Amino acid sequence: MGMTQIPNLTLNDGHTIPQLGFGVFQVPPEDTARITGQAFEAGYRHIDTAEMYGNEKGVGEAIRSSGIPRDELFITSKLNNGFHEPDAARKAFDQTMSDLGLDQIDLFLIHWPLPTKYDGDFVSTWKTLIEFQQDGRARSIGVSNFQPAHLERLAAETDVVPAVNQIEVHPYFTNETARAASRDAGILVEAWSPIAQGGVLDDPTIVKIAEHVGRTPAQVTLRWHLQRGDIVFPKSSTPERMAENAALFDFELDDQAIESISSLDRGEDGRTGPNPDEFDYIPS
Ligand SMILES: NC(=O)c1ccc[n+]([C@@H]2O[C@H](COP(=O)([O-])OP(=O)(O)OC[C@H]3O[C@@H](n4cnc5c(N)ncnc54)[C@H](OP(=O)(O)O)[C@@H]3O)[C@@H](O)[C@H]2O)c1
């Protein structure tokens, strides 16, 4: 299927990340080992999970039973919202490592900035992730759902620039302001919900381009992300779609197709998820 062609991008800390991975948001915990195992069989080597998804143990099980050498895998997880205070973050990170069964994680992120919680202090949380990197248990560290102002604050108050910012990006919400702020600071963008959870797949513009290049709407949309330089990890629970979503390296979109897809942006109305400036959910 040509998975060997998945490009590696270089992070600002010198480590590399496969530009295409597999996301496990909304994969039920009891199905996660099986579905992640199928993703490995389909050729994916980069997995995006989170404490919030409740399925890190399943990912760990799939890693162990895959027999794939650890250094061929790239595993990301994220700090859950209830654990931003340094001591809570340390305990939560210990739990993540134990649930995944790993000594080192490739990338660990602050899942949401929660600017209206913890007196707006996500800086001490970031400093705690810096500890995890310094003690060697997190190879790379980054953030998720950080707005430009949040990135500026980390830059002003700490010495470590996040390796990635994982934010909502898809044709209906191109999120250019947060993308540009990230890229200008040397932070790679990871585009979450890259096909808007399926919501862009019957868009007439995307369908037309797909027909023209002889590909599916999902493939065209994912290819649009890749050519813009972002990292993607589409989620699917079926092996057919896992394969479809990975067959992206034997065709190209021309500039005009890229432009037409980018022009589908609906601004704030295009979001499928919450606005990070307001989101304050803490699991009970
Ligand atoms: N940091 C954050 O706050 C955040 C938020 C959201 C997501 N994420 C990450 O981003 C990953 C991807 O986002 P997502 O899971 O929200 O949405 P997504 O990848 O944009 O879309 C997944 C949905 O599309 C369907 N689908 C997948 N491939 C398809 C295809 N080729 N044709 C038709 N339908 C297809 C899937 O259905 P089936 O499963 O039935 O195939 C599923 O319902 C997540 O898994 C997670 O790792 C992060």
Side-chain angles (χ1 to χ4, degrees), residues 160-197:
V160 180
V161 178
V164 306
N165 188 15
Q166 183 177 131
I167 52 179
E168 180 174 355
V169 183
H170 49 72
Y172 290 163
F173 183 62
T174 59
N175 208 348
E176 297 304 352
T177 317
R179 278 185 82 241
S182 305
R183 294 167 65 99
D184 290 350
I187 300 167
L188 289 187
V189 171
E190 297 191 320
W192 66 247
S193 294
I195 57 173
Q197 302 204 328

mmCIF file of all heavy atoms in Angstrom, residues 160-197:
data_model
loop_
_atom_site.group_PDB
_atom_site.id
_atom_site.type_symbol
_atom_site.label_atom_id
_atom_site.label_comp_id
_atom_site.label_asym_id
_atom_site.label_seq_id
_atom_site.Cartn_x
_atom_site.Cartn_y
_atom_site.Cartn_z
ATOM 1 N N VAL A 160 11.047 26.598 26.503
ATOM 2 C CA VAL A 160 10.850 25.484 25.570
ATOM 3 C C VAL A 160 9.629 25.764 24.695
ATOM 4 O O VAL A 160 8.520 25.992 25.196
ATOM 5 C CB VAL A 160 10.678 24.143 26.324
ATOM 6 C CG1 VAL A 160 10.468 23.000 25.330
ATOM 7 C CG2 VAL A 160 11.895 23.862 27.213
ATOM 8 N N VAL A 161 9.848 25.754 23.385
ATOM 9 C CA VAL A 161 8.765 25.955 22.422
ATOM 10 C C VAL A 161 8.091 24.601 22.178
ATOM 11 O O VAL A 161 8.781 23.602 21.950
ATOM 12 C CB VAL A 161 9.335 26.510 21.086
ATOM 13 C CG1 VAL A 161 8.230 26.693 20.054
ATOM 14 C CG2 VAL A 161 10.081 27.813 21.333
ATOM 15 N N PRO A 162 6.767 24.518 22.241
ATOM 16 C CA PRO A 162 6.101 23.245 21.956
ATOM 17 C C PRO A 162 6.514 22.701 20.584
ATOM 18 O O PRO A 162 6.708 23.474 19.643
ATOM 19 C CB PRO A 162 4.611 23.612 21.968
ATOM 20 C CG PRO A 162 4.513 24.875 22.767
ATOM 21 C CD PRO A 162 5.806 25.600 22.552
ATOM 22 N N ALA A 163 6.635 21.373 20.495
ATOM 23 C CA ALA A 163 7.008 20.767 19.206
ATOM 24 C C ALA A 163 5.833 20.802 18.238
ATOM 25 O O ALA A 163 6.028 20.952 17.035
ATOM 26 C CB ALA A 163 7.480 19.329 19.427
ATOM 27 N N VAL A 164 4.622 20.634 18.761
ATOM 28 C CA VAL A 164 3.420 20.658 17.915
ATOM 29 C C VAL A 164 2.312 21.426 18.618
ATOM 30 O O VAL A 164 2.322 21.587 19.837
ATOM 31 C CB VAL A 164 2.871 19.230 17.596
ATOM 32 C CG1 VAL A 164 3.953 18.335 16.990
ATOM 33 C CG2 VAL A 164 2.256 18.580 18.829
ATOM 34 N N ASN A 165 1.355 21.897 17.824
ATOM 35 C CA ASN A 165 0.077 22.378 18.336
ATOM 36 C C ASN A 165 -0.991 21.586 17.596
ATOM 37 O O ASN A 165 -1.122 21.701 16.380
ATOM 38 C CB ASN A 165 -0.081 23.885 18.094
ATOM 39 C CG ASN A 165 -1.301 24.477 18.784
ATOM 40 O OD1 ASN A 165 -1.894 23.851 19.678
ATOM 41 N ND2 ASN A 165 -1.674 25.689 18.397
ATOM 42 N N GLN A 166 -1.730 20.750 18.325
ATOM 43 C CA GLN A 166 -2.778 19.905 17.714
ATOM 44 C C GLN A 166 -4.103 20.649 17.809
ATOM 45 O O GLN A 166 -4.636 20.844 18.904
ATOM 46 C CB GLN A 166 -2.849 18.549 18.437
ATOM 47 C CG GLN A 166 -3.870 17.628 17.802
ATOM 48 C CD GLN A 166 -3.943 16.232 18.434
ATOM 49 O OE1 GLN A 166 -5.031 15.763 18.756
ATOM 50 N NE2 GLN A 166 -2.809 15.562 18.606
ATOM 51 N N ILE A 167 -4.610 21.096 16.652
ATOM 52 C CA ILE A 167 -5.792 21.968 16.624
ATOM 53 C C ILE A 167 -6.797 21.471 15.583
ATOM 54 O O ILE A 167 -6.445 20.719 14.673
ATOM 55 C CB ILE A 167 -5.392 23.432 16.296
ATOM 56 C CG1 ILE A 167 -4.538 23.510 15.018
ATOM 57 C CG2 ILE A 167 -4.639 24.059 17.472
ATOM 58 C CD1 ILE A 167 -4.116 24.926 14.622
ATOM 59 N N GLU A 168 -8.049 21.905 15.739
ATOM 60 C CA GLU A 168 -9.061 21.535 14.746
ATOM 61 C C GLU A 168 -8.731 22.218 13.414
ATOM 62 O O GLU A 168 -8.609 23.446 13.358
ATOM 63 C CB GLU A 168 -10.461 21.951 15.219
ATOM 64 C CG GLU A 168 -11.526 21.581 14.193
ATOM 65 C CD GLU A 168 -12.971 21.832 14.647
ATOM 66 O OE1 GLU A 168 -13.193 22.222 15.806
ATOM 67 O OE2 GLU A 168 -13.869 21.613 13.807
ATOM 68 N N VAL A 169 -8.578 21.426 12.364
ATOM 69 C CA VAL A 169 -8.365 21.960 11.006
ATOM 70 C C VAL A 169 -9.013 21.007 10.011
ATOM 71 O O VAL A 169 -8.769 19.792 10.054
ATOM 72 C CB VAL A 169 -6.864 22.071 10.628
ATOM 73 C CG1 VAL A 169 -6.723 22.710 9.229
ATOM 74 C CG2 VAL A 169 -6.045 22.865 11.633
ATOM 75 N N HIS A 170 -9.870 21.554 9.150
ATOM 76 C CA HIS A 170 -10.434 20.789 8.031
ATOM 77 C C HIS A 170 -11.003 21.808 7.053
ATOM 78 O O HIS A 170 -10.990 23.018 7.348
ATOM 79 C CB HIS A 170 -11.483 19.773 8.527
ATOM 80 C CG HIS A 170 -12.503 20.352 9.446
ATOM 81 N ND1 HIS A 170 -13.487 21.206 9.008
ATOM 82 C CD2 HIS A 170 -12.659 20.253 10.786
ATOM 83 C CE1 HIS A 170 -14.218 21.596 10.038
ATOM 84 N NE2 HIS A 170 -13.733 21.043 11.142
ATOM 85 N N PRO A 171 -11.496 21.384 5.904
ATOM 86 C CA PRO A 171 -11.923 22.372 4.899
ATOM 87 C C PRO A 171 -12.987 23.364 5.381
ATOM 88 O O PRO A 171 -13.016 24.495 4.898
ATOM 89 C CB PRO A 171 -12.445 21.501 3.747
ATOM 90 C CG PRO A 171 -11.597 20.267 3.844
ATOM 91 C CD PRO A 171 -11.467 20.019 5.328
ATOM 92 N N TYR A 172 -13.852 22.987 6.307
ATOM 93 C CA TYR A 172 -14.863 23.923 6.786
ATOM 94 C C TYR A 172 -14.359 24.812 7.929
ATOM 95 O O TYR A 172 -15.016 25.759 8.334
ATOM 96 C CB TYR A 172 -16.126 23.181 7.238
ATOM 97 C CG TYR A 172 -16.915 22.568 6.088
ATOM 98 C CD1 TYR A 172 -17.876 21.579 6.338
ATOM 99 C CD2 TYR A 172 -16.705 22.972 4.767
ATOM 100 C CE1 TYR A 172 -18.594 21.007 5.299
ATOM 101 C CE2 TYR A 172 -17.423 22.401 3.726
ATOM 102 C CZ TYR A 172 -18.361 21.423 3.991
ATOM 103 O OH TYR A 172 -19.089 20.861 2.964
ATOM 104 N N PHE A 173 -13.204 24.468 8.497
ATOM 105 C CA PHE A 173 -12.611 25.309 9.548
ATOM 106 C C PHE A 173 -11.093 25.265 9.375
ATOM 107 O O PHE A 173 -10.411 24.442 9.976
ATOM 108 C CB PHE A 173 -13.023 24.829 10.952
ATOM 109 C CG PHE A 173 -12.491 25.717 12.046
ATOM 110 C CD1 PHE A 173 -12.879 27.057 12.123
ATOM 111 C CD2 PHE A 173 -11.588 25.237 12.978
ATOM 112 C CE1 PHE A 173 -12.368 27.884 13.117
ATOM 113 C CE2 PHE A 173 -11.084 26.062 13.972
ATOM 114 C CZ PHE A 173 -11.474 27.391 14.046
ATOM 115 N N THR A 174 -10.585 26.120 8.504
ATOM 116 C CA THR A 174 -9.165 26.030 8.146
ATOM 117 C C THR A 174 -8.265 26.621 9.230
ATOM 118 O O THR A 174 -7.063 26.374 9.208
ATOM 119 C CB THR A 174 -8.888 26.677 6.774
ATOM 120 O OG1 THR A 174 -9.292 28.048 6.818
ATOM 121 C CG2 THR A 174 -9.643 25.966 5.665
ATOM 122 N N ASN A 175 -8.841 27.372 10.156
ATOM 123 C CA ASN A 175 -8.124 27.795 11.367
ATOM 124 C C ASN A 175 -6.791 28.472 11.039
ATOM 125 O O ASN A 175 -5.777 28.219 11.711
ATOM 126 C CB ASN A 175 -7.914 26.561 12.269
ATOM 127 C CG ASN A 175 -7.827 26.912 13.755
ATOM 128 O OD1 ASN A 175 -7.706 28.089 14.112
ATOM 129 N ND2 ASN A 175 -7.871 25.886 14.611
ATOM 130 N N GLU A 176 -6.795 29.325 10.016
ATOM 131 C CA GLU A 176 -5.524 29.880 9.520
ATOM 132 C C GLU A 176 -4.769 30.697 10.560
ATOM 133 O O GLU A 176 -3.536 30.701 10.553
ATOM 134 C CB GLU A 176 -5.758 30.745 8.269
ATOM 135 C CG GLU A 176 -6.321 29.998 7.056
ATOM 136 C CD GLU A 176 -5.496 28.801 6.583
ATOM 137 O OE1 GLU A 176 -4.358 28.581 7.078
ATOM 138 O OE2 GLU A 176 -6.003 28.059 5.726
ATOM 139 N N THR A 177 -5.491 31.391 11.440
ATOM 140 C CA THR A 177 -4.789 32.233 12.411
ATOM 141 C C THR A 177 -3.954 31.384 13.368
ATOM 142 O O THR A 177 -2.775 31.667 13.589
ATOM 143 C CB THR A 177 -5.813 33.075 13.210
ATOM 144 O OG1 THR A 177 -6.786 33.586 12.294
ATOM 145 C CG2 THR A 177 -5.147 34.210 13.923
ATOM 146 N N ALA A 178 -4.556 30.333 13.902
ATOM 147 C CA ALA A 178 -3.810 29.475 14.823
ATOM 148 C C ALA A 178 -2.731 28.677 14.075
ATOM 149 O O ALA A 178 -1.640 28.455 14.596
ATOM 150 C CB ALA A 178 -4.762 28.532 15.567
ATOM 151 N N ARG A 179 -3.032 28.298 12.836
ATOM 152 C CA ARG A 179 -2.008 27.594 12.031
ATOM 153 C C ARG A 179 -0.800 28.497 11.815
ATOM 154 O O ARG A 179 0.346 28.097 12.007
ATOM 155 C CB ARG A 179 -2.561 27.179 10.665
ATOM 156 C CG ARG A 179 -3.360 25.911 10.653
ATOM 157 C CD ARG A 179 -3.763 25.538 9.223
ATOM 158 N NE ARG A 179 -2.721 24.842 8.494
ATOM 159 C CZ ARG A 179 -2.141 25.252 7.379
ATOM 160 N NH1 ARG A 179 -2.479 26.412 6.836
ATOM 161 N NH2 ARG A 179 -1.223 24.528 6.803
ATOM 162 N N ALA A 180 -1.065 29.737 11.407
ATOM 163 C CA ALA A 180 0.048 30.649 11.093
ATOM 164 C C ALA A 180 0.855 30.961 12.346
ATOM 165 O O ALA A 180 2.092 30.973 12.308
ATOM 166 C CB ALA A 180 -0.493 31.926 10.460
ATOM 167 N N ALA A 181 0.173 31.207 13.469
ATOM 168 C CA ALA A 181 0.898 31.520 14.712
ATOM 169 C C ALA A 181 1.794 30.352 15.110
ATOM 170 O O ALA A 181 2.915 30.538 15.588
ATOM 171 C CB ALA A 181 -0.091 31.839 15.832
ATOM 172 N N SER A 182 1.302 29.133 14.893
ATOM 173 C CA SER A 182 2.085 27.951 15.239
ATOM 174 C C SER A 182 3.293 27.845 14.310
ATOM 175 O O SER A 182 4.445 27.760 14.759
ATOM 176 C CB SER A 182 1.223 26.680 15.120
ATOM 177 O OG SER A 182 0.055 26.806 15.914
ATOM 178 N N ARG A 183 3.028 27.872 13.029
ATOM 179 C CA ARG A 183 4.100 27.676 12.051
ATOM 180 C C ARG A 183 5.155 28.775 12.152
ATOM 181 O O ARG A 183 6.354 28.498 12.069
ATOM 182 C CB ARG A 183 3.505 27.591 10.643
ATOM 183 C CG ARG A 183 2.640 26.333 10.467
ATOM 184 C CD ARG A 183 1.802 26.397 9.206
ATOM 185 N NE ARG A 183 2.628 26.393 8.016
ATOM 186 C CZ ARG A 183 2.874 25.307 7.262
ATOM 187 N NH1 ARG A 183 2.332 24.143 7.590
ATOM 188 N NH2 ARG A 183 3.627 25.388 6.204
ATOM 189 N N ASP A 184 4.717 30.012 12.373
ATOM 190 C CA ASP A 184 5.677 31.120 12.497
ATOM 191 C C ASP A 184 6.593 30.936 13.703
ATOM 192 O O ASP A 184 7.717 31.439 13.718
ATOM 193 C CB ASP A 184 4.937 32.463 12.631
ATOM 194 C CG ASP A 184 4.248 32.864 11.334
ATOM 195 O OD1 ASP A 184 4.508 32.211 10.292
ATOM 196 O OD2 ASP A 184 3.434 33.812 11.366
ATOM 197 N N ALA A 185 6.098 30.214 14.725
ATOM 198 C CA ALA A 185 6.908 29.983 15.924
ATOM 199 C C ALA A 185 7.713 28.680 15.808
ATOM 200 O O ALA A 185 8.362 28.261 16.769
ATOM 201 C CB ALA A 185 6.005 29.945 17.155
ATOM 202 N N GLY A 186 7.662 28.028 14.648
ATOM 203 C CA GLY A 186 8.426 26.785 14.463
ATOM 204 C C GLY A 186 7.721 25.568 15.045
ATOM 205 O O GLY A 186 8.344 24.541 15.317
ATOM 206 N N ILE A 187 6.418 25.691 15.239
ATOM 207 C CA ILE A 187 5.610 24.618 15.838
ATOM 208 C C ILE A 187 4.844 23.916 14.713
ATOM 209 O O ILE A 187 4.114 24.579 13.960
ATOM 210 C CB ILE A 187 4.619 25.233 16.862
ATOM 211 C CG1 ILE A 187 5.378 25.971 17.978
ATOM 212 C CG2 ILE A 187 3.683 24.174 17.414
ATOM 213 C CD1 ILE A 187 4.480 26.856 18.851
ATOM 214 N N LEU A 188 4.978 22.597 14.591
ATOM 215 C CA LEU A 188 4.228 21.891 13.547
ATOM 216 C C LEU A 188 2.760 21.789 13.950
ATOM 217 O O LEU A 188 2.432 21.609 15.126
ATOM 218 C CB LEU A 188 4.795 20.492 13.313
ATOM 219 C CG LEU A 188 6.156 20.407 12.612
ATOM 220 C CD1 LEU A 188 6.502 18.947 12.305
ATOM 221 C CD2 LEU A 188 6.171 21.227 11.324
ATOM 222 N N VAL A 189 1.893 21.878 12.941
ATOM 223 C CA VAL A 189 0.450 21.790 13.178
ATOM 224 C C VAL A 189 -0.013 20.353 12.970
ATOM 225 O O VAL A 189 0.289 19.730 11.950
ATOM 226 C CB VAL A 189 -0.315 22.730 12.222
ATOM 227 C CG1 VAL A 189 -1.824 22.490 12.316
ATOM 228 C CG2 VAL A 189 0.025 24.182 12.529
ATOM 229 N N GLU A 190 -0.741 19.834 13.964
ATOM 230 C CA GLU A 190 -1.450 18.561 13.813
ATOM 231 C C GLU A 190 -2.932 18.911 13.661
ATOM 232 O O GLU A 190 -3.503 19.589 14.522
ATOM 233 C CB GLU A 190 -1.245 17.681 15.039
ATOM 234 C CG GLU A 190 0.213 17.296 15.255
ATOM 235 C CD GLU A 190 0.373 16.212 16.312
ATOM 236 O OE1 GLU A 190 -0.337 16.246 17.337
ATOM 237 O OE2 GLU A 190 1.218 15.324 16.120
ATOM 238 N N ALA A 191 -3.530 18.455 12.554
ATOM 239 C CA ALA A 191 -4.908 18.825 12.224
ATOM 240 C C ALA A 191 -5.864 17.771 12.773
ATOM 241 O O ALA A 191 -5.932 16.661 12.249
ATOM 242 C CB ALA A 191 -5.065 18.935 10.713
ATOM 243 N N TRP A 192 -6.594 18.129 13.835
ATOM 244 C CA TRP A 192 -7.554 17.131 14.357
ATOM 245 C C TRP A 192 -8.911 17.188 13.656
ATOM 246 O O TRP A 192 -9.263 18.207 13.094
ATOM 247 C CB TRP A 192 -7.648 17.109 15.861
ATOM 248 C CG TRP A 192 -8.184 18.215 16.724
ATOM 249 C CD1 TRP A 192 -7.450 18.974 17.597
ATOM 250 C CD2 TRP A 192 -9.556 18.626 16.939
ATOM 251 N NE1 TRP A 192 -8.267 19.835 18.300
ATOM 252 C CE2 TRP A 192 -9.553 19.639 17.927
ATOM 253 C CE3 TRP A 192 -10.772 18.230 16.398
ATOM 254 C CZ2 TRP A 192 -10.731 20.276 18.373
ATOM 255 C CZ3 TRP A 192 -11.951 18.855 16.835
ATOM 256 C CH2 TRP A 192 -11.917 19.860 17.809
ATOM 257 N N SER A 193 -9.628 16.045 13.697
ATOM 258 C CA SER A 193 -10.848 15.866 12.891
ATOM 259 C C SER A 193 -10.607 16.302 11.440
ATOM 260 O O SER A 193 -11.332 17.151 10.893
ATOM 261 C CB SER A 193 -12.047 16.609 13.491
ATOM 262 O OG SER A 193 -12.415 16.057 14.735
ATOM 263 N N PRO A 194 -9.594 15.703 10.779
ATOM 264 C CA PRO A 194 -9.161 16.192 9.461
ATOM 265 C C PRO A 194 -10.241 16.088 8.388
ATOM 266 O O PRO A 194 -10.215 16.856 7.424
ATOM 267 C CB PRO A 194 -7.957 15.299 9.133
ATOM 268 C CG PRO A 194 -8.163 14.054 9.942
ATOM 269 C CD PRO A 194 -8.810 14.532 11.219
ATOM 270 N N ILE A 195 -11.183 15.137 8.541
ATOM 271 C CA ILE A 195 -12.301 15.078 7.585
ATOM 272 C C ILE A 195 -13.597 15.551 8.258
ATOM 273 O O ILE A 195 -14.698 15.223 7.813
ATOM 274 C CB ILE A 195 -12.460 13.665 6.958
ATOM 275 C CG1 ILE A 195 -12.655 12.584 8.019
ATOM 276 C CG2 ILE A 195 -11.254 13.334 6.089
ATOM 277 C CD1 ILE A 195 -12.998 11.202 7.441
ATOM 278 N N ALA A 196 -13.434 16.341 9.348
ATOM 279 C CA ALA A 196 -14.588 16.879 10.088
ATOM 280 C C ALA A 196 -15.528 15.751 10.517
ATOM 281 O O ALA A 196 -16.752 15.894 10.442
ATOM 282 C CB ALA A 196 -15.310 17.949 9.278
ATOM 283 N N GLN A 197 -14.941 14.652 10.953
ATOM 284 C CA GLN A 197 -15.695 13.465 11.366
ATOM 285 C C GLN A 197 -16.628 12.989 10.259
ATOM 286 O O GLN A 197 -17.708 12.467 10.526
ATOM 287 C CB GLN A 197 -16.449 13.723 12.677
ATOM 288 C CG GLN A 197 -15.494 14.142 13.808
ATOM 289 C CD GLN A 197 -16.035 13.864 15.191
ATOM 290 O OE1 GLN A 197 -17.236 13.923 15.432
ATOM 291 N NE2 GLN A 197 -15.136 13.536 16.116
#
